[in-house]
Amino acid sequence: MIQYEEFAQLDVRIGKILSATKVEGTDKLIKVEVDLGVQKRQIVAAMAKFFDPEFLVGKEMPILVNLAPRKFKGIESQGMILAADVDGKPVLLHPEREVPPGTIVR
């Protein structure tokens, strides 16, 4: 169990995927550019086995934005796409209606 204060440290916002490309030399990685309202970021996600990059473009989804950057295959990932995990496969989460990029998730 964690305290509410620990949970409140997570900064989750809705991001809109502007572009997505498969990372060369990998079977798993996709690099996406995400609009977070006040800024754009790139995120590397292990979703290539499950989604074509083109499918992700235009989708709104929750992004963990205050995660420390990490490099994958030399590409810096500046956040994390949040998805449900069903039998080891990601299921994308979306707002029920369109919201502005950068909207805070509580």
Side-chain angles (χ1 to χ4, degrees):
M1 300 298 240
I2 65 170
Q3 299 299 315
Y4 176 79
E5 292 76 20
E6 293 171 286
F7 171 76
Q9 291 180 31
L10 300 176
D11 187 358
V12 179
R13 296 176 185 258
I14 297 299
K16 186 171 187 172
I17 306 299
L18 300 174
S19 66
T21 56
K22 192 164 186 237
V23 175
E24 283 191 40
T26 73
D27 294 332
K28 297 179 182 180
L29 301 179
I30 293 177
K31 180 178 80 170
V32 299
E33 181 182 15
V34 181
D35 181 0
L36 291 165
V38 297
Q39 64 178 288
K40 294 180 177 79
R41 292 198 186 175
Q42 71 178 10
I43 295 175
V44 178
M47 295 185 166
K49 286 188 173 184
F50 308 104
F51 303 106
D52 288 326
E54 301 82 31
F55 175 77
L56 299 173
V57 175
K59 299 273 192 274
E60 291 185 327
M61 54 189 71
I63 307 292
L64 179 58
V65 297
N66 65 337
L67 185 65
R70 184 172 170 198
K71 286 193 176 186
F72 297 92
K73 295 291 185 180
I75 302 167
E76 185 175 76
S77 184
Q78 303 164 329
M80 178 185 287
I81 296 171
L82 300 181
D85 183 324
V86 177
D87 298 324
K89 298 177 184 175
V91 176
L92 300 179
L93 306 172
H94 306 282
E96 70 170 296
R97 60 183 172 90
E98 191 170 332
V99 299
T103 297
I104 296 171
V105 176
R106 299 180 193 215

